[in-house]
Amino acid sequence: MRVRPVKMAASVRQWARRVIRLSHTNITGASGGLSVRFDRCSAGSYCRCFGDAAEGKQTHFGFETVPEAEKAKRVYKVFENVAQKYDVMNDAMSLGIHRLWKDKLLHVMCPQPGARLLDVAGGTGDIAFRFLEYIRFQQERQRRRETRAVETPSWQELSTNYSTEDEDGPRESKAVVCDINKEMLKVGKQKADSMGLVSGLSWVVGDAEELPFDDEQFDIYTIAFGIRNVTRIDQALQEARRVLKPGGRFMCLEFSKVTNPVLASLYDAYSFQMIPILGEVIAGDWKSYQYLVESIRKFPDQERFKEMIEDAGFYCVQYHNLTGGVVALHSGFKL
Amino acid sequence: MRRLSAMWPCFGRALRRLHQRHSKVIAKAVCAHSSSRAFTDRCYDGLYPGHISTTPIQKALLAVGSGVAALQDPYRHDMVAVLGETTGHLALINLRNRMRNDPEGYTILIERPRIRLSTLDLSKMASLPDGSFGKEYLRFLEDNHVTPDSRVDVKFVDDEELAYVMQRYREVHDLLHTLLGMPTNMLGEVAVKWFEAAQTGLPMCALGAVLGPLRLNTRRLQKLVTSLGPWALKNGRQARCVLSIFYERRWEQSLEDLRQELNIEPPPLMLSASNKSSS
């Protein structure tokens, strides 16, 4: 029996289309049912290696490839080990520049009194503390302006001011620090106590991929140097969008790609040669800091991360490069 | 002007080569690290479990950093360990050769025994008579509240056999305390360091021997300089290589007997573990 030429042509076309689709499959796209194995994830591009269904999905832990379920555990262990020396190490590794990066984040954020902040992976509380101090500074400045504007208040006006101050005051700004790691939160709490920052601050244990908050609770969501440790970044971005109010802002500080080749070589040499040594000498832990340096190389670059934020449903996504691209500040709005 | 314009391509090429070399370093790291085996605590990269390979520059930086850290806080045993590993290459080769030339030492290098609580039969050792090596070692562990499991693992030695020699040296340290009759207070530790410096030639021991006395008060310093120190140095030089003894098979042997075999004289001063006040 001869197969009709038209049918044969159609089936050949179908087969050809499948082959082309398979060869063009983007490994970053979600594709159910396909098992594509990659032995080497190229440093610098975000890639997820799909294993067979029996093995479970694989992801990267620094330059290693591990099952997804394993990564969260190992990241937890890393931060449990480094929590006590985290701030000291940050100062040593970045020569204090990390403070400038965080200051820049606050400067771009420009929070107004009454704003509610959620700082995810906020661990030792650096962003939350800066937020509260910024708000307090703004409130002080506002109060000073108000008192200067009223030249000679009458006794009547003064008495009404005093009586309405407590009832009708501006909404209290609140900062919530959320971190998956209890040790990091412990260190943050101790810092807050020693600085005398108690009011307007709360500490919550939670997973960035599954936040323990209701929808539309916060005005600003920040995640500073934490998102590269999350197993499923797209899920974290979706959660961020969920808990933000309409008009809310998503801000992310993260290590990124250095564009200048000279600076890139110096940065790589410093990262791989020097930082694990600092980790060993100061914190007694080479491997954790080796992981931290490797995880920076596995994180997507500025443009790719911007696309991921846009895919999660944020608008007006922008990024600023700090220190020549060593750190990038990404920002997007939920509209 | 022409020379300048000729320089730029050379400069560009050099930059490109530097960048390529760095990419190769990173690519090599990627190849070395990325593996699809499921992670367990037992799997490792490198020559032995816990090995971290380092460049000579990194070793130099580690040596300096760990030296400073150990001086600032002598209780950072991990820093003392790192200092020993990064500076002791030649001394370790020397020790390994001495072990190879000794029949018992050679057996140790082949069999690779480890001194850990899990490998010691504590009840059997406790039942040994007083004066036996095993009993005295147990007494030392109890009096000074130490355990053989608190030794840091070797990380930065780039040869598997030398790493074992280093580990053996660390594990034998407590046994040395027993052999020399020295407690774990500052004076006892310095005396043992002087012995070890004379025996092994490890720079870390020499550094500890020189800087340790700075933390002693005058009375103890006098004891060290007049009697303990010279005794430790003399015995360190004349004693048999302490790493070449298969201690695990000699628990029943009398301590005095073992000292004679190793050519170690009994200590001139009896120091008790209760002298554990800070110097």
Side-chain angles (χ1 to χ4, degrees), chain B residues 3-238:
Chain B
R3 237 180 250 169
L4 261 177
S5 57
M7 248 170 58
W8 282 116
C10 302
F11 184 65
R13 272 198 294 273
L15 256 183
R16 260 197 302 265
R17 249 179 275 137
L18 180 66
H19 198 66
Q20 275 167 0
R21 219 179 298 159
H22 272 292
S23 320
K24 273 200 202 128
V25 166
I26 296 167
K28 230 187 264 185
V30 173
C31 286
H33 285 267
S34 89
S35 67
S36 47
R37 334 170 253 222
F39 173 76
T40 60
D41 281 337
R42 296 209 171 275
C43 91
Y44 55 89
D45 303 311
L47 304 166
Y48 50 86
H51 178 225
I52 297 172
S53 55
T54 43
T55 62
I57 303 176
Q58 284 181 311
K59 284 202 177 65
L61 288 168
L62 272 170
V64 171
S66 60
V68 171
L71 279 174
Q72 281 191 324
D73 184 5
Y75 289 101
R76 283 209 58 188
H77 300 292
D78 59 334
M79 288 292 99
V80 177
V82 169
L83 183 62
E85 287 168 32
T86 48
T87 54
H89 187 67
L90 292 172
L92 283 175
I93 292 178
N94 193 16
L95 272 173
R96 192 261 313 265
N97 294 341
R98 279 170 76 183
M99 283 174 83
R100 273 198 190 150
N101 293 334
D102 181 297
E104 205 173 345
Y106 188 73
T107 321
I108 293 174
L109 282 176
I110 302 289
E111 291 189 29
R112 305 275 178 97
R114 295 292 298 265
I115 303 172
R116 277 206 204 106
L117 277 177
S118 52
T119 57
L120 298 176
D121 190 351
L122 291 172
S123 51
K124 188 162 169 247
M125 283 166 72
S127 66
L128 291 169
D130 280 343
S132 65
F133 180 52
K135 190 69 191 274
E136 294 307 313
Y137 175 55
L138 218 57
R139 188 171 294 159
F140 162 79
L141 289 178
E142 282 163 11
D143 288 349
N144 291 272
H145 309 292
V146 290
T147 158
D149 290 351
S150 58
R151 297 291 149 197
V152 181
D153 285 333
V154 177
K155 286 192 281 232
F156 301 112
V157 177
D158 290 337
D159 179 286
E160 196 251 329
E161 198 173 26
L162 293 180
Y164 174 74
V165 172
M166 190 76 199
Q167 192 71 46
R168 182 83 185 158
Y169 153 74
R170 275 185 204 154
E171 292 175 359
V172 162
H173 179 81
D174 284 343
L175 295 165
L176 259 186
H177 272 277
T178 314
L179 277 173
L180 298 175
M182 292 287 116
T184 53
N185 58 20
M186 201 64 205
L187 183 55
E189 290 286 358
V190 175
V192 174
K193 272 283 167 293
W194 281 39
F195 180 93
E196 282 177 345
Q199 256 255 321
T200 64
L202 281 164
M204 177 262 290
C205 299
L207 206 62
V210 165
L211 297 172
L214 297 175
R215 294 180 155 259
L216 292 173
N217 62 24
T218 335
R219 187 170 53 92
R220 290 180 173 196
L221 195 58
Q222 202 184 19
K223 274 192 208 168
L224 179 71
V225 172
T226 50
S227 62
L228 278 182
W231 164 80
L233 285 176
K234 181 175 160 220
N235 282 274
R237 275 194 293 265
Q238 76 191 20

